[in-house]
Amino acid sequence: MNLVLRFQTRPLSIGRSSAFITSSEQQPTTPQQFKGLKIVLADDDNVNRTVTKKLLEKLGCEVTAVASGFECLSTLSSENSVRVVILDLQMPEMDGFEVASRIRKFRSRNWPFIIALTASAEDNIWERCLQLGMNGVIRKPVLLQGMAEELRRVLQVAG
Amino acid sequence: MDRNQSHRQVATMKQSLFDQGYLDHEQFNQLEELQDDANPNFVEEVVTLYYRDSARLVHSIEQALEKSPIDFNKLDSYMHQFRGSSSSIGAKKVKAECSLFREYCRAGNGEGCMRTFQQVKKEYTALRKKLETFFQLARQAGPVDRARRPK
């Protein structure tokens, strides 16, 4: 099955999902399919953060959106039920790599899950993220389908 | 002008913005998909936010270009952000000029940066005018009945 193959090599969402997946393989994005999933979204760009937050809410997620790595860490320290952290890699002051390192220092690899957001086209981004204990990567600009698929993939791995 | 006609006008203008390369259809349609009864003006709000926020970036970039010597790292960082949010609203031509700018930046080519930045600003301003007209039309046409929205 294609899904398994992709999982072994790269995550589904490196690159824009619509470019890699034919329509016969695309699963429909049902509204509210991730109902109640608690997410912290960290992105310093107001426009990107606003759009990504709305996108996640459309999928049914409960989103706390913050503008910096610091705010992300402090939100996590006060909220234990956050299941997924979605993290822009290129933030000033504290970038996504730093935030992920700090999260993984005190928390297991599966709670919370960490998904990186990046506009970078570098090949080794996924490896770098993996090394730091992140669970997924999504290329910006984010599309609903790509986000849904990466969330599904990351959550399925946990079983 | 009846409602159907108004909606057709909006759709036609949107299609022409796609055809002329001003807007990325996938990204812009994505924004429209996020609009709902609770946020009926989401697209316009995001675009307004974009122009407000990016005005600061444009100013920072202009200042950085006037310095001597030019701090190319700083420039690249500003432009990365500008390109990112431009990309989020589907600003295709703006994004393309931003990419070109970053190439000159990485090559340490101040002249190239300055020239390209004039292009960035030109596309940025042109798009704003087009979108202002588009949103005006859309507001006049009223909310779209989602069940009947043409693909």
Side-chain angles (χ1 to χ4, degrees):
Chain A
M1 249 178 81
N2 277 348
L3 269 163
V4 173
L5 277 173
R6 280 201 204 93
F7 172 63
Q8 284 173 345
T9 53
R10 315 183 85 182
L12 282 168
S13 304
I14 287 279
R16 304 276 286 277
S17 61
S18 54
F20 287 82
I21 297 170
T22 62
S23 53
S24 61
E25 296 164 343
Q26 260 177 339
Q27 291 185 47
T29 302
T30 54
Q32 308 289 309
Q33 63 181 259
F34 296 103
K35 196 162 172 63
L37 182 66
K38 281 201 166 184
I39 296 193
V40 169
L41 166 68
D43 191 329
D44 66 303
D45 183 80
N46 292 334
V47 175
N48 291 343
R49 194 175 61 249
T50 302
V51 174
T52 307
K53 180 178 187 209
K54 195 79 177 70
L55 196 149
L56 288 165
E57 284 171 346
K58 184 139 183 130
L59 294 173
C61 305
E62 279 177 37
V63 185
T64 304
V66 298
S68 74
F70 293 105
E71 284 177 70
C72 180
L73 292 172
S74 80
T75 303
L76 285 175
S77 69
S78 62
E79 282 208 47
N80 266 320
S81 54
V82 174
R83 194 77 186 88
V84 184
V85 175
I86 299 182
L87 205 46
D88 181 28
L89 287 182
Q90 287 97 8
M91 287 189 285
E93 291 165 6
M94 198 195 300
D95 67 24
F97 296 112
E98 176 72 34
V99 177
S101 301
R102 294 199 194 190
I103 293 174
R104 286 293 175 246
K105 218 174 241 171
F106 301 109
R107 310 282 206 97
S108 83
R109 215 196 133 79
N110 288 333
W111 197 293
F113 289 119
I114 303 176
I115 299 178
L117 280 178
T118 179
S120 170
E122 284 176 39
D123 276 335
N124 67 350
I125 281 282
W126 174 230
E127 282 83 47
R128 269 186 87 186
C129 291
L130 198 63
Q131 272 166 16
L132 287 167
M134 297 198 230
N135 308 88
V137 182
I138 295 178
R139 185 84 69 77
K140 288 166 110 174
V142 187
L143 286 180
L144 199 78
Q145 188 76 29
M147 178 64 84
E149 275 156 10
E150 190 65 345
L151 276 173
R152 204 181 295 133
R153 188 190 68 80
V154 166
L155 293 166
Q156 271 172 4
V157 167
Chain B
M1 188 179 289
D2 78 346
R3 268 193 72 174
N4 282 337
Q5 241 181 321
S6 300
H7 285 143
R8 267 202 299 277
Q9 240 194 350
V10 174
T12 302
M13 180 168 185
K14 188 164 60 151
Q15 190 57 47
S16 90
L17 289 173
F18 294 153
D19 292 340
Q20 291 173 57
Y22 282 103
L23 286 178
D24 176 279
H25 78 275
E26 203 168 36
Q27 202 59 37
F28 198 75
N29 282 335
Q30 169 77 88
L31 286 183
E32 291 195 318
E33 285 292 317
L34 297 178
Q35 214 156 248
D36 55 26
D37 292 333
N39 296 85
N41 301 309
F42 182 70
V43 185
E44 191 175 354
E45 285 165 12
V46 171
V47 170
T48 305
L49 179 63
Y50 165 74
Y51 275 100
R52 196 188 68 202
D53 270 14
S54 53
R56 263 180 266 134
L57 274 173
V58 168
H59 184 62
S60 299
I61 293 170
E62 274 169 343
Q63 284 194 316
L65 281 171
E66 279 165 22
K67 289 216 162 74
S68 193
I70 293 179
D71 182 345
F72 287 104
N73 278 332
K74 203 177 220 178
L75 261 184
D76 190 62
S77 170
Y78 287 140
M79 192 44 89
H80 173 88
Q81 197 179 343
F82 187 50
R83 184 178 174 276
S85 49
S86 302
S87 168
S88 277
I89 68 156
K92 203 169 178 183
K93 289 191 187 192
V94 177
K95 181 183 175 180
E97 294 296 339
C98 289
S99 297
L100 193 56
F101 182 97
R102 292 187 79 196
E103 282 178 40
Y104 282 117
C105 228
R106 282 164 190 174
N109 183 337
E111 271 291 310
C113 284
M114 286 189 242
R115 249 190 349 255
T116 313
F117 193 56
Q118 295 313 308
Q119 280 304 111
V120 170
K121 284 194 287 187
K122 187 169 147 242
E123 293 300 344
Y124 173 75
T125 308
L127 178 65
R128 178 166 48 202
K129 293 206 179 84
K130 299 262 177 196
L131 286 174
E132 272 166 8
T133 307
F134 174 74
F135 289 126
Q136 221 167 13
L137 276 176
R139 261 181 270 129
Q140 279 167 12
V144 182
D145 176 357
R146 291 183 83 83
R148 286 192 291 116
R149 197 158 63 141
K151 273 270 172 253

